[in-house]
Amino acid sequence: MARISAAESQVMETVWGKGPLAADEIVAEVGAPQGWGEATVKTLINRLLKKKALVSERLEGRTRYRALVTREDYVQGESQGLLDRLFGGELAPLVAHYAKHRNLSAGEVARLKRLIAELDDGE
């Protein structure tokens, strides 16, 4: 899958959340909150079409855009890319980095402990 930029991900989040949408609906959902004009949003849609992240189809007499990439696959690819680029593919250094450089709440620590316990139980 081709890499989806931060701006393109705004379009994808809208399509993932609301289903197939017409260009004007995407412009209304994404453009105004981001301060982007219609041309900018349509450029992002066209980039996503070329990357095969979106597909256009005729529904109810209008061209609508539907995601070809699931949000889960996108998140998996992005998170794995982050791990690979910054932490050599290792999860423990990522967690250690966040634990060292940001204050983890008691709830976050408890959640991490539960996750580790669940992983231990699964072995």
Side-chain angles (χ1 to χ4, degrees):
M1 174 179 70
R3 190 164 188 301
I4 295 172
S5 72
E8 293 163 349
S9 74
Q10 297 294 314
V11 172
M12 293 302 295
E13 287 291 346
T14 298
V15 175
W16 286 320
K18 302 205 176 212
L21 296 171
D24 62 322
E25 295 170 318
I26 297 171
V27 169
E29 289 288 327
V30 177
Q34 297 297 325
W36 297 336
E38 181 179 347
T40 299
V41 176
K42 287 185 175 182
T43 296
L44 295 171
I45 291 169
N46 284 324
R47 287 182 190 166
L48 290 164
L49 288 167
K50 287 178 187 170
K51 292 179 180 184
K52 304 220 182 300
L54 289 179
V55 65
S56 66
E57 51 194 12
R58 204 78 178 145
L59 294 171
E60 302 168 359
R62 296 183 75 190
T63 300
R64 296 188 184 274
Y65 300 93
R66 177 178 54 83
L68 287 177
V69 175
T70 66
R71 188 174 192 288
E72 293 78 19
D73 287 344
Y74 168 70
V75 169
Q76 175 60 36
E78 287 294 305
S79 58
Q80 188 61 53
L82 175 75
L83 275 179
D84 292 344
R85 281 189 313 275
L86 300 179
F87 300 100
E90 300 280 329
L91 184 59
L94 170 80
V95 174
H97 169 79
Y98 279 107
K100 182 178 178 182
H101 294 287
R102 82 180 265 245
N103 294 325
L104 296 176
S105 70
E108 288 174 312
V109 171
R111 187 172 177 201
L112 286 169
K113 287 179 180 179
R114 279 193 309 274
L115 177 60
I116 290 169
E118 289 171 11
L119 292 171
D120 281 345
D121 290 345
E123 289 181 11

